[in-house]
Amino acid sequence: DAGITQSPRHKVTETGTPVTLRCHQTENHRYMYWYRQDPGHGLRLIHYSYGVKDTDKGEVSDGYSVSRSKTEDFLLTLESATSSQTSVYFCAISVGGTNEKLFFGSGTQLSVL
Amino acid sequence: RKEVEQDPGPFNVPEGATVAFNCTYSNSASQSFFWYRQDCRKEPKLLMSVYSSGNEDGRFTAQLNRASQYISLLIRDSKLSDSATYLCVVNSPLADKLIFGTGTRLQVFP
């Protein structure tokens, strides 16, 4: 157990509304990641963070923003949700660097209607 | 060509069988390789890293073939509880990130 908690676990929202997903970790890991998982695609990286206030874009970052004001919390925000952002979102941490093994939270199922 | 490719399956095997999955990767400079297991509606969990010389963990054996650019996962004496999707993960040196395959589904039946 890597001490990662995601909230909420499920959310249904309407197109155009803002949504924030939270990832909380208890073990002071430096590297944190947000992925989305969709049928027919592998997990795709949205954004990641090297540390407090140090974030960067992944391969599918359009429409998403992140913030990391504390080591333990990594927030993913959909500024104006669209139906194409309906997905399962996973937060992850890695120990040691961006090419090291990942440990995932339980995921958030987001439905945008 | 996708950076990481897997046969989606499903592989349907009886209990006790031996089953193997392959995963091909496109970048010959990749250095980090992993197999993850994902149960339905759950998060991926690390099964094992893959080392150059091959490695074993109980009934699971992982191999790396750099010349042909693929990794493999062999499961011996399959259990019902092995039913899951197995994800291949390879690092992308260019992007300095891990790339996930779409997964191979395994179904073990009694």
Side-chain angles (χ1 to χ4, degrees):
Chain A
D1 183 2
I4 305 169
T5 305
Q6 289 186 234
S7 58
R9 291 296 310 278
H10 301 89
K11 185 167 182 67
V12 180
T13 192
E14 293 184 349
T15 299
T17 59
V19 177
T20 295
L21 308 183
R22 180 180 183 237
C23 179
H24 178 78
Q25 56 129 337
T26 58
E27 298 183 1
N28 225 32
H29 295 293
R30 180 180 168 193
Y31 298 93
M32 298 185 75
Y33 308 82
W34 277 107
Y35 286 87
R36 61 178 289 175
Q37 187 174 35
D38 304 287
H41 295 273
L43 275 87
R44 293 181 290 173
L45 183 63
I46 306 171
H47 281 279
Y48 59 100
S49 171
Y50 292 101
V52 173
K53 296 184 180 178
D54 193 355
T55 65
D56 208 345
K57 295 179 180 180
E59 62 180 305
V60 290
S61 59
D62 287 348
Y64 302 95
S65 62
V66 289
S67 67
R68 192 160 178 209
S69 58
K70 297 185 290 184
T71 300
E72 59 265 35
D73 289 323
F74 192 29
L75 304 180
L76 176 71
T77 297
L78 290 66
E79 301 290 348
S80 177
T82 67
S83 57
S84 65
Q85 292 176 312
T86 292
S87 187
V88 180
Y89 291 85
F90 289 104
C91 173
I93 61 96
S94 66
V95 180
T98 54
N99 291 309
E100 298 299 321
K101 54 193 78 169
L102 295 170
F103 298 90
F104 289 87
S106 301
T108 296
Q109 172 68 61
L110 176 67
S111 297
V112 183
L113 306 179
Chain B
R1 182 185 174 186
K2 285 185 178 180
E3 290 187 83
V4 177
E5 291 199 74
Q6 297 183 250
D7 181 341
F11 285 61
N12 295 304
V13 302
E15 274 186 291
T18 296
V19 61
F21 314 131
N22 283 345
C23 166
T24 59
Y25 60 95
S26 61
N27 194 323
S28 60
S30 292
Q31 295 291 330
S32 301
F33 308 92
F34 307 95
W35 283 104
Y36 280 74
R37 171 199 168 117
Q38 187 173 26
D39 294 295
C40 190
R41 300 185 187 279
K42 299 283 190 180
E43 74 273 22
K45 292 185 177 177
L46 179 67
L47 181 65
M48 58 198 303
S49 303
V50 185
Y51 301 118
S52 297
S53 55
N55 48 298
E56 192 173 301
D57 183 1
R59 298 182 292 108
F60 299 84
T61 300
Q63 299 268 353
L64 167 64
N65 185 316
R66 286 196 183 275
S68 300
Q69 292 181 211
Y70 73 87
I71 64 173
S72 63
L73 178 67
L74 180 81
I75 305 175
R76 289 183 298 278
D77 188 23
S78 297
K79 312 290 185 191
L80 295 175
S81 57
D82 293 334
S83 297
T85 297
Y86 291 84
L87 307 177
C88 166
V89 183
V90 179
N91 80 299
S92 169
L94 212 62
D96 194 29
K97 301 294 173 291
L98 295 179
I99 306 296
F100 284 76
T102 52
T104 296
R105 189 165 154 235
L106 171 66
Q107 185 67 47
V108 181
F109 57 88

